[in-house]
Amino acid sequence: MHSSKFCLNIAGDTPSSNRLFDAIASHCVPVIISDDIELPYEDVLDYSQFCIFVRTSDAIKEKFLVNMIRGIGKDEWTRMWQKLKEVEHFFEFQYPSKEGDAVQMIWQAVARKVPVMRMKIHRSMRYSRSLIHNNRELRTIPTPSNFW
């Protein structure tokens, strides 16, 4: 992998995979074949600067991948390769954790999501008072004498 210029990152049956991390650590430009992949730190990193994205419908076309990769010039590949070297530390786990490593990036991603999650919780609770009120009303409805 370390001597490869491009590494396939094919969607699997789980949301995460080591393939992407291995490619980045090896400075091998990831060729991501997926329509709906969720990438780590995507709200911070522009993966299009160091990855190639291919729709699954295009990837299954005969010779599409080979022609696409052959169409990437040396200058473009070099730019992507240099960007890989710049971002690789975001994917490295260290003990103890250091500024800008994977542990710090994960905590920062969690911190960015907390306000959104709080807002969703608060929004979901908007009508909780009326639900409680309605549930109380349902409990007080008398059942007909011949029901049971």
Side-chain angles (χ1 to χ4, degrees):
M1 189 179 257
H2 203 72
S3 62
S4 300
K5 290 185 176 186
F6 299 97
C7 293
L8 285 179
N9 186 350
I10 300 169
D13 57 355
T14 61
S16 62
S17 167
N18 289 342
R19 287 185 293 267
L20 178 64
F21 298 97
D22 292 342
I24 292 170
S26 300
H27 303 149
C28 180
V29 174
V31 179
I32 299 173
I33 301 173
S34 177
D35 296 330
D36 300 318
I37 191 167
E38 291 183 31
L39 299 168
Y41 336 126
E42 197 165 10
D43 59 334
V44 176
L45 297 178
D46 180 2
Y47 280 82
S48 66
Q49 293 181 356
F50 56 92
C51 294
I52 298 167
F53 290 91
V54 180
R55 289 186 179 90
T56 53
S57 59
D58 291 334
I60 60 174
K61 294 177 185 173
E62 189 173 341
K63 297 186 180 182
F64 181 88
L65 281 174
V66 172
N67 291 335
M68 182 180 177
I69 291 172
R70 284 184 179 157
I72 297 171
K74 185 176 182 179
D75 291 341
E76 185 179 1
W77 178 83
T78 302
R79 182 190 51 75
M80 295 175 92
W81 178 75
Q82 288 172 338
K83 188 65 177 178
L84 273 174
K85 293 193 319 182
E86 289 175 25
V87 300
E88 77 174 314
H89 66 279
F90 294 133
F91 298 90
E92 294 174 350
F93 290 87
Q94 300 178 40
Y95 183 80
S97 177
K98 295 180 182 175
E99 185 66 33
D101 73 352
V103 174
Q104 296 296 315
M105 291 294 287
I106 290 168
W107 280 117
Q108 289 171 14
V110 169
R112 287 188 301 273
K113 290 182 180 189
V114 167
V116 174
M117 295 307 296
R118 279 193 185 129
M119 185 174 66
K120 286 184 177 186
I121 290 169
H122 291 164
R123 282 185 178 169
S124 71
M125 301 292 287
R126 283 179 180 170
Y127 302 105
S128 63
R129 174 168 265 150
S130 61
L131 288 174
I132 293 168
H133 183 71
N134 287 341
N135 284 341
R136 284 186 197 145
E137 287 176 1
L138 290 175
R139 286 188 203 137
T140 60
I141 295 174
T143 55
S145 59
N146 60 354
F147 187 71
W148 289 106

